[in-house]
Amino acid sequence: MAGYIGIVCSDPWLQNQFTQVELRTMKSQYHTLRRESGPLTLADLPSKMSTLKVVGENLTEEDRDSFLRSNYQNMSDEVDFELFLKVYLKLHAHASSKMGSPAKNSSAFLKAATTTLLHTISESEKSSYVSHINSYLGEDKFLEQFLPIDPSTNDLFEIVKDGVLLCKLINVAVPGTIDERAINMKRMLNPWERNENHTLCLNSAKAIGCTVVNIGTQDFIEGRRHLVLGLIAQIVKIQLLADLNLKKTPQLVELVDSSEDAEELMSLPPEKILLRWMNFQLRKSEYKKVVTNFSTDIKDGEAYAHLLSVLAPEHNNPLTLTAKDPLQRAKLVLEHADKMGCKRYLTAKDIVEGSPNLNLAFVAHIFQHRNGLSSEAKDISFLETSPDDAQVSREERAFRFWLNSLGNSTCIDNVFEDLRDGWILLETLDKVSPRIVNWKVANKPPIKMPFKKVENCNQAIKLGKQLKFSLVNIAGNDIVQGNKKLILAYLWQLMRCNMLQLLKNLRFHSHGKEINDADILEWANNLVKNSGRQSRMSSFKDKRLSDGMFFLELLSAVQPRVVNWSLVTKGISDDEKKMNASYIISIARKLGCSIFLLPEDITEVNQKMILTLTASIMYWFLNQPVDDKSSSSSDSENGSQSETSNSTLDDAASESSLE
């Protein structure tokens, strides 16, 4: 988990050789090798390290074996994690010397992905995002001591080091994501408090759809500029595209001719809807081209000139369309936008150079400010949602963000559309249960032939059955056809399997038992009981959970300092319950729990999401070193493990109860 690397590497010298991200990745590699063959010896490493960068790419297995035998006397010695790191560093230095480049102190394991020395940042993007932050957070009571930020300096990367600004920026993008009561806000934060803020930020960023694979808390503390700017860019993008859906902007129905077209529009990612809107407005002008991207297609500024003339003809300048120089035309376009009251997210040079991020931000802001759609929208009765539809939407959102958090090859925007070729399902299955997928018979996108998609989805169904999913009357073609109910049922079981596998892996070293829903329930109840509290949940659908008190007591039991009880309500009214639920989610993320539920999932006691919340807290707790747990918590854990060793839960009954 982010922020707890010191647990697995106590040698200060080794910690200085790797970044936090590199250590997490190396730890993952080490445990993968352990799972494959059990305890590792030095003799195993020459073949096992073939997958590692530099070492595996530039040394043959014979090279690695010869080098290790010349450096270590007993090849039968067992390899713990720290020895694994030392061996890697020695082999890396050996490989570097063979390639003719001097070895450096750092490992360079992820150098291409993590080191700012090999990354340049766009000063235009930095300036644009700084202006955005100054505009939207300038009146914040806490941040006013730091804002406005000077875009010509690197002050931004210093201010983000305490985590507060990023947390508040997430709340601007998606209001209510983080309960500000959970943010550590004071002038001087100690390292623990600062780490908590960054952990809260990263887990919350994942929960709103940001991709944060290979980003850790240390990256922000060290001010890794490209990673900081990359995350800010994602957050700003989510904010600017928030209204690009039919629920928030029903006037978008003007872009379609039928309810079938509207359903297709609703399944598109926001960027595609924005392009569709832009082309819809351009068809009202003399512009005949179709804009397909926010880079090369608008570099000449002509599309912008026609778009703004349609949206705000009162500010037209005849010279804009007749200008021969693209840079001059871009300047006139920005003058037109200024007269409309649109903030600038880019310069004339950015338009001419085709900066995709800044052009996207600029067009999205124009849409927010003046979309040119009729206020008298067509009949939109088909957009009205029932409570069941709202529940489907919430579950789709949770599963989508969970899938995206796994670092699959493609970021998905709609599970019902983007899973239809089966590829992302296969990638996820391979992460949940390594080597389970037969990639030789899998079809990689883009897939044009429908039967190839069915083949992928049939394999996903087959593998689900191997993992003991309840898949009665579900076929691969149901996924290809986008059957919402069946896709959600499959994804729930896949997510649940992933949680149970993570917990099993943690317990493998000391207990070696399978874990199930009943174990999670019993663990939570025992931990709360042994902390001296009286709350108890009878099941994951216990309606008493709606006030949030049980989970607050559970979180307090796993980490006593995390809950500020003076901020907790009695949970009597609906508003008080929602306040508690919001606080629970934020402090769980602040600890390090990766969760994707909403406050409504707690107040309405959504059984599936309640299970994921409990399991995530359990995973975090069991992942901590024994020394960090209080004696009462440790006793509770041991008691739970002994008491639940024989507990079982009928999976079929579990699945039927969760429908």
Side-chain angles (χ1 to χ4, degrees), residues 35 370 394 457 563:
R35 283 196 295 271
R370 187 179 297 193
R394 287 219 306 264
C457 293
V563 178

Side-chain angles (χ1 to χ4, degrees), residues 63-78:
D63 288 337
R64 295 189 291 271
D65 184 70
S66 174
F67 181 81
L68 290 181
R69 290 184 185 279
S70 65
N71 280 271
Y72 296 95
Q73 293 182 348
N74 190 354
M75 294 294 284
S76 63
D77 284 350
E78 187 171 337

